[in-house]
């Protein structure tokens, strides 16, 4: 008798997988999507580099004038893409789509596991997961989303993956039910194995996508709200211990400095999401709504699983709906929490319907169930047809995105360029040439570079000096070329796309995209300059270029020696030049305390200039050989030590019970 529930659990799981695979099967064989406006190319690029350099992932020289690898993106999905690519020989593009498609299908299964094991009701739980697979409730709640999705019955979650390329978000919502389930079992059973499973699942959520940490925090609050007054403190200590231990273990990847950068930048990416009085009001509304729902559930004696999904729906529906309907931003980028809304709302609807059906005559309930299954069959056909229209391959070699990367490989290989719009997303899938900007704006540690990019793209208030000021910023950050895309791209990168005409020489064009050369005396990002030429004052805005002009003038001074820079690997460089004791070296690479330098064998300090780049005074008199390497700095080293200590303590804790229970043989 004990095997029957487990057997049905697997049967339901396989049925859910079959439905979702039928919908998303084209993703498993898709290499490049016709929707080039998606940002999935950046995840493919990270996966490609990880697969090519698995032992050299300290520094990332390809975006934002160089950044620590941790600042590329949370690495779980790119790492899985890299492993899949190396093991199968598939391209990073195909590997990305195959891995993301698996988690798209797997997400309904994990939701079923959570609902079924919390409620002990596999039938309604299966209906909840089937609803999650075949209906997007968010389409019913927002006219804006419904219009973007093309219809009320279309698959929003599939669109988010297949059109917008949100692979990490899909991975997060697939792991989220597992993490919630493990924490629930840890709180209700107190078994050590669930503590371990909770840590692993929590780490998977945190390392997939930044939104996952907020999702899990909301879910844990809802779990704690189910506790009575007697057990709340014990459960709170358990959750705090699991969360703290998990973070310490993964802290070398999620460094505190990275979290601070994401916190600062996310509030200004895609809009102004800074926390204000309206944000506090929205948060208060969510808290009061949850409190009222909790009181109502106690009064009506609702089962704990229904109460949990009710509270979770209030949180995860309130965040995007308050933003979409009332302009209240509780967290940065609140509209992105649409998938989580469906994850909470579908079980709530299914379990609420189950309560209603239990009160109806048996014949009526069976008729309703038959109608539901018929609608599911019809909706499955609709989703499959929608997927066929959405998931379309493209000949990537015929696109401008591919052609510009190949031209740069042949004519500007290794020289930093500024590529924007859809071309930036895919550029490093095909090229090892570094971009001046690129990557993901929330992770960019150099605010001055963000100012430079905004100034170049918008030309705001620059007037007739637009091209002149843009060229100063390009030269200050070592760009040797700038690509201006055709005007009708999805992301209209340049407000004045032809401002460089007649000012910069054209080197290449295709379908309206023009690549201009930026005149520099040397293509190297290392330069010998007078110390007074180093930028000492941070520009107050993109038009404050007086110090910048003096610095760029020194870069173009023919009286100064040329310095060559060679990358020995992804985290170490060699600079060769001649210099006098009173001269400095400016290195157009993002400053970080983890960088170290030796000039002619003597250690020299590296300073940060006012636009976030590195500068040093080697004290050379004649020939000057400078070795620079990046080791992550004291923060990374401390995080590694704490991670190892925490792992050791966890190992001792989990093994203690095994040792105590081991039988000692008699003699």
């Amino acid at each position: 008798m004990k095997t029957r529930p487990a057997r049905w659990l697997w049967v339901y799981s396989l049925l859910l997988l079959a439905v979702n695979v039928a919908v998303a099967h084209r993703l498993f064989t898709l290499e490049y999507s016709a929707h080039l406006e998606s940002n999935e190319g950046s995840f493919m690029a990270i996966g490609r580099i990880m697969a090519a350099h698995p032992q050299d992932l300290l520094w990332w020289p390809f975006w934002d004038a160089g950044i620590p690898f941790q600042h590329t993106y949370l690495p779980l999905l790119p790492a899985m893409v890299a492993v899949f690519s190396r093991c199968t020989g598939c391209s990073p593009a195909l590997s990305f789509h195959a891995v993301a498609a698996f988690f798209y299908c797997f997400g309904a299964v994990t939701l079923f596991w959570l609902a079924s094991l919390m409620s002990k009701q596999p039938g309604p739980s299966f209906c909840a997961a089937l609803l999650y697979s075949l209906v997007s409730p968010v389409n019913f709640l927002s006219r804006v989303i419904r219009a973007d999705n093309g219809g009320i019955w279309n698959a929003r979650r599939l669109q988010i993956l297949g059109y917008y390329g949100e692979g990490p978000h899909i991975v997060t919502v697939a792991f989220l039910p597992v993490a919630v389930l493990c924490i629930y079992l840890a709180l209700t059973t107190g078994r050590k194995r669930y503590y371990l499973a909770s840590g692993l699942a929590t780490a998977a959520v945190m390392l997939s996508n930044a939104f996952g940490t907020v999702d899990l925090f909301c879910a844990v609050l809802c779990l704690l709200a189910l506790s009575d007054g007697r057990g709340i403190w014990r459960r709170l200590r358990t959750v705090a211990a699991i969360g703290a231990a998990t973070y310490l273990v993964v802290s070398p990847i999620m460094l505190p400095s990275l979290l601070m950068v994401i916190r600062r930048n996310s509030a200004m990416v895609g809009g102004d999401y800074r926390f204000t009085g309206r944000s506090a009001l929205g948060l208060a509304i969510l808290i009061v709504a949850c409190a009222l729902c909790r009181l109502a559930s106690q009064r009506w004696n609702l089962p704990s699983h229904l109460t949990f999904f009710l509270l979770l729906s209030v949180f995860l529906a309130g965040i995007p709906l308050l933003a979409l309907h009332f302009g209240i931003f509780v967290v940065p980028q609140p509209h992105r929490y649409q998938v989580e809304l469906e994850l909470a709302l579908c079980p709530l609807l299914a379990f609420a319907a189950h309560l209603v059906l239990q009160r109806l005559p048996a014949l009526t309930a069976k008729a309703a169930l038959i109608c539901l299954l018929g609608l599911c069959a019809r909706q499955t056909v609709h989703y499959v047809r929608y997927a066929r229209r959405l998931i379309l391959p493209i000949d990537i070699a015929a696109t401008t995105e591919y052609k510009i990367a190949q031209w740069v490989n042949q004519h500007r290989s290794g020289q930093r360029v500024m590529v924007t719009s859809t071309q930036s997303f895919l550029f490093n899938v095909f090229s090892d040439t570094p971009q001046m900007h690129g990557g993901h704006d929330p992770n960019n540690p150099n605010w001055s570079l963000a100012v430079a990019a905004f100034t170049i793209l918008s030309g705001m208030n620059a007037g007739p000096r637009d091209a002149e000021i843009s060229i100063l910023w390009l030269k200050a950050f070592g760009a040797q070329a700038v690509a201006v895309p055709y005007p009708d791209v999805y992301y209209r990168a340049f407000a004045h796309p032809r401002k460089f005409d007649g000012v910069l020489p054209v080197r290449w064009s295709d379908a309206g995209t023009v690549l201009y050369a930026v005149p520099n005396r040397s293509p190297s990002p290392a330069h010998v300059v007078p110390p007074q030429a180093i930028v000492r004052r941070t520009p107050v805005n993109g038009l404050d270029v007086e110090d910048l002009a003096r610095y760029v003038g020194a870069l173009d001074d023919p009286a100064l020696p040329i310095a060559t820079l060679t990358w020995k690997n992804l985290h170490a460089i060699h600079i060769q030049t001649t210099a006098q004791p009173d001269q400095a070296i400016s290195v157009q690479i993002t400053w970080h305390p983890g960088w170290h330098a030796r000039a002619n064998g003597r250690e020299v300090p590296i300073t940060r200039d006012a636009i976030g780049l590195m500068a040093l005074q080697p004290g050379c008199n004649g020939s000057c050989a400078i070795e620079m390497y990046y080791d992550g700095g004291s923060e990374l080293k401390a995080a590694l030590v704490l991670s190892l200590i925490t792992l050791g303590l966890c190992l001792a804790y989990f093994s203690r019970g095994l040792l105590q229970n081991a039988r000692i043989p008699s003699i």
Side-chain angles (χ1 to χ4, degrees):
M1 293 296 293
K2 292 182 179 180
T3 61
R4 187 175 179 182
R7 182 168 64 247
W8 276 107
L9 191 73
W10 289 112
V11 169
Y12 282 140
S13 299
L14 290 174
L15 285 173
L16 289 168
L17 273 178
V19 169
N20 283 275
V21 168
V23 172
H25 69 277
R26 293 173 68 122
L27 278 174
F28 285 96
T29 57
L30 180 69
E31 190 161 23
Y32 293 100
S33 168
H35 305 296
L36 298 177
E37 59 271 27
S38 141
N39 67 350
E40 64 185 20
S42 60
F43 308 124
M44 298 174 188
I46 300 172
R48 181 183 76 84
I49 300 298
M50 291 181 75
H53 305 275
Q55 297 177 337
D56 192 7
L57 297 174
L58 281 171
W59 187 257
W60 183 266
F62 305 103
W63 298 338
D64 296 325
I67 51 177
F69 177 76
Q70 292 90 336
H71 286 254
T72 55
Y73 202 84
L74 293 173
L76 184 58
L77 176 57
M80 291 189 289
V81 170
V83 171
F84 188 89
S85 179
R86 284 181 68 94
C87 292
T88 63
C90 295
S91 70
L94 179 58
S95 300
F96 169 83
H97 286 124
V99 173
F102 169 79
F103 282 100
Y104 174 87
C105 300
F106 190 55
V109 177
T110 60
L111 177 60
F112 166 66
W113 291 347
L114 170 63
S116 180
L117 294 176
M118 282 190 73
S119 67
K120 306 297 189 293
Q121 296 176 347
S125 300
F126 173 75
C127 292
L130 196 60
L131 183 66
Y132 179 66
S133 303
L134 295 175
V135 179
S136 289
V138 70
N139 287 333
F140 296 83
L141 300 176
S142 171
R143 179 172 54 86
V144 174
I145 293 175
R146 181 166 63 250
D148 183 65
N149 202 17
I152 199 168
W153 296 107
N154 289 341
R156 181 62 170 176
R157 187 164 56 103
L158 185 64
Q159 185 200 26
I160 286 173
L161 175 59
Y163 184 81
Y164 289 110
E166 290 280 353
H169 208 160
I170 296 300
V171 173
T172 291
V173 294
F175 277 123
L176 182 62
V178 179
V180 174
L181 176 61
C182 291
I183 294 172
Y184 169 77
L185 293 174
L187 294 177
T188 54
T189 67
R191 295 181 180 178
K192 290 183 178 180
R193 62 185 180 186
Y194 295 127
Y195 294 165
L196 177 61
S198 298
L200 294 173
T202 297
V205 171
M206 294 170 64
L207 295 178
S208 299
N209 184 271
F211 299 106
T213 302
V214 178
D215 300 335
L216 192 55
F217 180 76
C218 293
V220 168
L221 288 181
C222 296
L223 286 176
L224 292 174
L226 301 179
S227 306
D228 54 27
R230 293 171 297 174
I232 184 65
W233 293 111
R234 178 185 61 81
R235 293 188 172 194
L236 187 59
R237 288 195 300 269
T238 299
V239 167
I242 293 172
T246 302
Y247 175 72
L248 288 174
V249 170
V250 303
S251 60
I253 300 172
M254 299 182 68
L255 293 168
S257 60
L258 170 62
L259 299 181
M260 293 298 292
V261 167
I262 293 176
R263 177 180 174 274
R264 179 195 70 191
N265 292 348
S266 294
M268 300 300 292
V269 172
D272 188 349
Y273 301 116
R274 287 174 291 187
F275 198 84
T276 64
R278 288 175 63 84
S279 305
L281 173 63
L283 184 59
I285 291 172
L286 292 182
I287 293 173
V288 170
C290 284
L292 292 175
C293 288
R294 182 68 179 104
L295 291 174
S297 69
Q298 289 177 326
R299 181 174 181 178
W300 297 332
N301 197 27
L302 296 179
S304 61
H305 61 275
L306 184 57
T307 301
F308 169 76
F309 286 112
L310 174 62
L311 298 178
L312 190 61
S313 295
V314 171
F315 265 119
L316 297 182
I319 289 174
L321 294 181
L322 283 174
L324 290 168
H325 295 301
F326 304 103
I328 298 176
F329 307 136
V330 178
V331 295
Q333 303 180 49
H335 57 284
R336 302 278 295 277
Y337 291 84
Q338 302 163 29
V339 180
E340 291 88 333
L341 182 160
E342 297 183 346
L343 190 74
L345 196 57
C346 289
L348 174 64
L349 295 174
F351 286 122
H354 179 64
L355 283 181
V356 173
L357 290 175
Q358 283 181 320
R359 291 170 169 77
L360 296 177
L363 187 61
T364 303
K366 290 180 180 178
L369 183 60
I370 292 173
C371 290
L372 175 65
L373 293 176
L375 289 173
C376 287
R378 177 66 183 86
Q379 189 66 359
T380 301
V381 173
H382 175 72
Y383 262 37
V384 169
R385 291 174 177 171
Y386 174 77
R388 288 175 181 171
R389 298 193 303 270
L390 178 72
I391 304 169
L392 301 172
I394 194 173
D395 179 9
I396 196 65
T399 65
T400 301
E401 285 73 11
Y402 178 83
K403 293 176 182 177
I404 193 171
Q406 295 304 318
W407 188 91
V408 170
N409 288 342
Q410 296 174 15
H411 302 280
R412 290 287 191 275
S413 181
Q415 299 180 18
R416 187 177 297 159
V417 298
M418 183 172 181
V419 184
T420 59
S421 188
T422 60
Q423 297 150 15
S424 175
F425 297 144
L426 286 161
F427 184 80
N428 289 115
V429 178
F430 312 118
S431 177
D432 286 338
T433 297
Q435 298 186 58
M436 172 183 155
H437 192 28
H440 299 270
D441 289 338
N443 295 24
N444 176 17
N446 189 348
W447 184 251
S448 293
L449 182 58
V451 171
F454 175 81
T455 303
I456 294 168
L457 296 176
S458 72
M460 182 179 291
N461 298 325
R465 298 187 63 200
D466 188 4
E468 173 196 347
I469 292 173
S470 296
I471 292 170
L472 283 175
W473 281 111
L474 288 165
K475 291 165 75 73
F477 281 98
Q480 305 298 313
V482 56
V484 181
Y486 40 91
D488 58 341
V489 293
Y490 184 82
Y491 297 101
R492 186 179 174 90
F494 283 81
H496 310 113
R498 294 301 175 236
K499 64 182 176 182
F500 297 123
D501 285 351
V503 180
L504 296 178
V506 174
R507 290 291 180 262
W508 178 87
S509 64
D510 178 77
T513 294
V514 180
L515 184 74
Y516 300 91
V518 178
N520 287 283
R521 193 167 66 96
S522 168
S524 170
H527 307 272
V528 179
V529 297
Q532 62 271 21
I534 301 295
V535 182
R536 303 294 182 186
R537 183 178 62 84
T538 303
V540 296
N541 55 51
L543 307 183
D544 181 14
V545 294
E546 182 179 349
D547 285 9
L548 207 68
R550 183 172 60 252
Y551 170 63
V552 171
L555 302 184
D556 290 335
D557 188 349
L560 294 172
I562 293 290
T564 60
L565 184 148
T566 305
W567 287 92
K568 301 167 67 175
N569 49 46
L570 295 186
H571 67 278
I573 57 180
H574 172 79
I575 299 173
Q576 186 66 50
T577 187
T578 58
Q580 301 302 314
D582 61 344
Q583 291 178 324
I585 305 292
S586 172
V587 184
Q588 294 165 315
I589 295 173
T590 302
W591 177 88
H592 189 280
W595 276 101
H596 308 276
R598 301 182 69 87
N600 290 341
R602 180 175 56 85
E603 188 168 346
V604 295
I606 302 174
T607 60
R608 181 186 186 277
D609 71 13
I611 56 173
L613 304 177
M614 292 192 288
L616 60 151
Q617 289 193 267
C620 297
N621 189 6
S623 179
C624 195
I626 303 172
E627 303 292 337
M628 299 179 66
Y629 67 94
Y630 174 80
D631 63 5
S634 57
E635 184 187 29
L636 178 59
K637 294 174 184 176
L640 286 169
V641 170
L642 288 173
S643 179
L644 292 174
I645 291 174
T646 305
L647 280 172
L649 292 175
C650 291
L651 180 62
Y653 175 76
F654 289 116
S655 62
R656 184 177 60 180
L658 296 176
L659 294 175
Q660 289 176 345
N661 295 331
R663 294 183 178 181
I664 302 176
S666 58
I667 298 177

